[in-house]
Amino acid sequence: MKIINSMNNELIEKKQKTVFISADHGLALVYFLQTDVVNTMLSNGIRVVVLTDDGVTDKVRSRFAADNLYFEGLRLDGLKKYFKSVHHNRQYWLHFLRWMGGSDQVNTTAIDSHLRQMNHETSRRGKFLMPFLKGYIRILRKSGYARKNLVRSQMRYTPAIYSDLFEKYSPTLVIASTSGWRLDRYLLREAAQRGIETCMAVIGWDNPSSYRLPGAPMQWANCWSQIQKQELTEGADWNQDRVNIGGIPTYDGYFQKKWQLSREAYFQMHQLDLNRKLISFACSFVTFSPNFQDIEALVQLVSEDALNQPCQLLIRLHPNHFLAGSLFEEEANRIRELIKGKPYIHLVEPVALGGDLGFYSGEDMPEKSSMMAWSDVFLTVYSTMVVETAIHNRPIVSVCIDAPGGWNKPEKFSLSLSEIGKWPTHERFRNAKAGRVVYNKEQLKDAINLYLEHPETDEAERLKFIQDECTYTDGSAGKRTGEYFSRLAKESKISQSVIYQFDPIH
């Protein structure tokens, strides 16, 4: 009888639809596990296996334990070893070509800036290759067939690192938080090689415009908005019938105000003065330009009481500020030194989850939400937090004060902040008139004073901006997305033909 029961259990398990989810980033864990996405899939009878950083797998498993939910390591060390040891240069440049080689039928200014950076910072050998690579990139941007061949050519680099997991769980769908722009490309290629369908979940606002061609043949995508869908279909050849607009589940908690602390509790957390207006600055864009000059101007305005009302400043460091030995770490230390001893200047440091997931973490969502909700004026440099702050309906200023000489390092590429307004997401913020953009200290002062006196300014534009960018503003994106993934899992069939379903339309 025990043998028969065991056989029946195995048969039931094999019939059950299973989904792999690659969560190789802190924000991916928020997207899938701190929203309704995975819970909706579980309620639909889907078995979910989340693959995440090996260093935090046990921690994540204990925190999100649920029936039919399993956790496995992503084996990132093995992937890094494979990338470095097997035709490393060829893999490196194939990745670069995918990044730069999307169609020019959509705005390419963001990736063009990265191309300029690479041209400046690459090795001597890279500089020798660059003219040939640029020529190939011009072909890729015009030819859908060239792009298709590039994507398919990478299938030769498919290590069987996950073969035991595929055999153990027999998934019918693999979902990743990128379309193989990170090391998830190896998982996606192995799935494609096995005839298992794959899906990308767009986690970041600028992902479709900042990265282009998939790192493996893929079939499905879930994005935030019609805008992102157009970027995927016209910029990276996705079949429009296979791109779903599900909104952004990560922001459901903002719309529902589930993370937001009271003003009193948040001010007490940072020893803020309840009688002073709160100005917040979230660092961003540290790859190409320092934030220091923006912060320095704000510190002077607040410390000298140069604004129309008594204010205090809260500065949130960027996750990249914690890269050991980097220019960004140096900038973080300069900021700490600048604000030392100033009573109305405070610093917020994002929380790290651990492993390779970095400081993009769901651990401090209450901090982020409360910072935006209780800021009288919120400032940044076009970061994704302009969308998040618009959800909280707070005034927004994008501070683009140029740093003389940029990083002032000959080997380091610098890009003036005044040059980046035409990047796709930046351009959308500007065109939406959802906030103000300033280029010097006087403009900064005027914009802050305007919003302090008239916080309702640009409110209608902010509301339309989040509608256009997020689509669903009722906190339902997680359930919608979970239903979509569940439907794909139930309808997907294992077939070797899936590796040929990446069809360019240009």
Side-chain angles (χ1 to χ4, degrees):
M1 179 65 72
K2 288 183 179 179
I3 295 176
I4 294 174
N5 286 340
S6 176
M7 291 175 63
N8 286 338
N9 288 339
E10 287 183 14
L11 185 61
I12 291 171
E13 191 167 314
K14 285 184 177 179
K15 286 183 177 179
Q16 185 179 39
K17 298 295 185 178
T18 299
V19 170
F20 278 4
I21 292 177
S22 172
D24 62 349
H25 194 282
L27 290 181
L29 288 176
V30 180
Y31 181 100
F32 291 109
L33 294 173
Q34 291 183 235
T35 67
D36 292 322
V37 174
V38 164
N39 285 335
T40 300
M41 297 171 70
L42 295 174
S43 69
N44 280 316
I46 305 297
R47 180 172 62 169
V48 177
V49 182
V50 176
L51 289 82
T52 191
D53 184 273
D54 304 76
V56 300
T57 301
D58 290 339
K59 181 178 180 180
V60 174
R61 181 186 292 115
S62 63
R63 178 175 176 181
F64 296 103
D67 291 341
N68 232 15
L69 177 61
Y70 300 84
F71 294 89
E72 299 282 356
L74 273 169
R75 306 171 183 181
L76 296 177
D77 287 343
L79 299 179
K80 292 174 185 176
K81 181 178 179 181
Y82 178 83
F83 175 62
K84 291 178 180 178
S85 62
V86 179
H87 297 164
H88 172 70
N89 286 336
R90 182 174 176 81
Q91 288 200 68
Y92 177 88
W93 290 116
L94 283 172
H95 176 77
F96 174 73
L97 289 169
R98 282 194 298 106
W99 185 11
M100 301 296 155
S103 169
D104 60 8
Q105 293 198 21
V106 296
N107 187 333
T108 64
T109 52
I111 57 177
D112 289 342
S113 295
H114 286 285
L115 181 58
R116 290 170 58 191
Q117 179 189 28
M118 177 62 73
N119 190 66
H120 181 88
E121 296 181 0
T122 190
S123 65
R124 181 178 299 180
R125 184 173 183 273
K127 283 182 167 58
F128 172 78
L129 292 173
M130 196 57 66
F132 304 100
L133 294 167
K134 287 181 178 179
Y136 191 23
I137 289 168
R138 284 193 291 271
I139 294 172
L140 288 168
R141 291 191 177 182
K142 297 295 183 184
S143 171
Y145 293 102
R147 296 192 293 272
K148 178 180 180 180
N149 289 334
L150 175 64
V151 172
R152 291 179 58 184
S153 71
Q154 296 173 107
M155 287 299 292
R156 72 190 70 180
Y157 298 111
T158 307
I161 287 179
Y162 301 106
S163 57
D164 60 320
L165 296 183
F166 278 103
E167 295 299 327
K168 178 180 179 180
Y169 293 106
S170 300
T172 57
L173 179 69
V174 175
I175 304 170
S177 56
T178 81
S179 62
W181 298 324
R182 295 161 60 85
L183 292 173
D184 54 1
R185 57 187 177 271
Y186 297 116
L187 174 67
L188 295 169
R189 288 174 197 169
E190 192 165 346
Q193 198 172 67
R194 291 171 172 268
I196 299 168
E197 293 192 351
T198 55
C199 179
M200 171 181 63
V202 177
I203 304 292
W205 181 39
D206 65 342
N207 286 174
S209 60
S210 296
Y211 305 92
R212 288 301 169 85
L213 303 180
M218 298 192 69
Q219 292 72 52
W220 307 98
N222 186 74
C223 65
W224 300 20
S225 63
Q226 182 62 41
I227 298 168
Q228 287 190 345
K229 181 172 182 175
Q230 182 179 2
E231 289 176 328
L232 290 170
T233 57
E234 296 186 10
D237 304 315
W238 288 80
N239 184 326
Q240 62 179 352
D241 295 331
R242 291 173 173 264
V243 178
N244 179 65
I245 299 173
I248 172 61
T250 310
Y251 295 170
D252 283 351
Y254 293 152
F255 289 115
Q256 297 164 355
K257 300 185 185 303
K258 77 173 185 179
W259 293 310
Q260 189 172 310
L261 304 176
S262 69
R263 184 173 185 267
E264 291 73 18
Y266 185 68
F267 274 49
Q268 184 177 14
M269 180 188 298
H270 295 295
Q271 291 79 53
L272 300 172
D273 187 336
L274 286 167
N275 296 314
R276 281 182 170 258
K277 298 290 186 178
L278 177 60
I279 298 173
S280 299
F281 180 87
C283 294
S284 69
F285 205 68
V286 289
T287 305
F288 289 134
S289 171
N291 283 256
F292 188 81
Q293 70 283 358
D294 292 342
I295 294 169
E296 189 174 41
L298 282 167
V299 168
Q300 289 174 359
L301 289 173
V302 172
S303 297
E304 296 168 5
D305 276 330
L307 297 166
N308 288 353
Q309 298 186 40
C311 293
Q312 56 201 325
L313 174 64
L314 197 59
I315 303 164
R316 179 180 172 87
L317 295 180
H318 190 276
N320 283 358
H321 278 127
F322 299 89
L323 295 174
S326 68
L327 286 171
F328 319 132
E329 185 183 53
E330 290 179 19
E331 178 178 76
N333 290 332
R334 286 185 70 196
I335 294 169
R336 294 185 182 101
E337 191 63 31
L338 172 71
I339 69 173
K340 190 178 295 183
K342 293 181 170 59
Y344 297 116
I345 314 297
H346 306 265
L347 195 66
V348 173
E349 303 193 6
V351 179
L353 185 61
D356 280 354
L357 297 177
F359 284 76
Y360 292 90
S361 168
E363 305 299 298
D364 65 349
M365 295 305 281
E367 164 65 48
K368 284 179 63 182
S369 183
S370 302
M371 178 183 184
M372 292 181 284
W374 302 120
S375 292
D376 292 282
V377 183
F378 184 86
L379 307 101
T380 185
V381 186
Y382 295 121
S383 80
T384 303
M385 292 188 78
V386 300
V387 182
E388 298 171 76
T389 304
I391 293 171
H392 291 82
N393 196 21
R394 305 310 301 152
I396 307 161
V397 179
S398 183
V399 190
C400 298
I401 300 173
D402 288 333
W407 288 107
N408 285 312
K409 302 278 187 180
E411 73 281 5
K412 174 64 180 172
F413 177 73
S414 297
L415 184 68
S416 300
L417 295 181
S418 58
E419 293 184 58
I420 65 173
K422 291 185 179 180
W423 284 28
T425 51
H426 306 176
E427 188 174 56
R428 298 207 298 268
F429 173 76
R430 292 161 60 88
N431 290 343
K433 301 187 187 309
R436 302 299 164 110
V437 182
V438 300
Y439 301 100
N440 56 54
K441 187 177 175 182
E442 283 305 310
Q443 291 178 356
L444 175 62
K445 179 180 178 180
D446 290 344
I448 293 174
N449 282 333
L450 169 67
Y451 281 138
L452 289 176
E453 297 294 334
H454 303 285
E456 74 284 357
T457 303
D458 303 324
E459 180 176 7
E461 289 78 6
R462 288 195 294 270
L463 296 176
K464 185 178 187 306
F465 178 59
I466 61 168
Q467 182 70 60
D468 292 342
E469 297 293 343
C470 302
T471 306
Y472 301 108
T473 60
D474 57 356
S476 67
K479 290 182 179 178
R480 291 173 184 272
T481 297
E483 292 291 348
Y484 174 67
F485 291 154
S486 300
R487 191 162 61 251
L488 291 182
K490 291 178 179 179
E491 295 175 357
S492 295
K493 296 179 180 178
I494 307 299
S495 170
Q496 287 301 315
S497 66
V498 301
I499 67 172
Y500 301 113
Q501 291 182 6
F502 177 73
D503 296 322
I505 60 175
H506 306 302

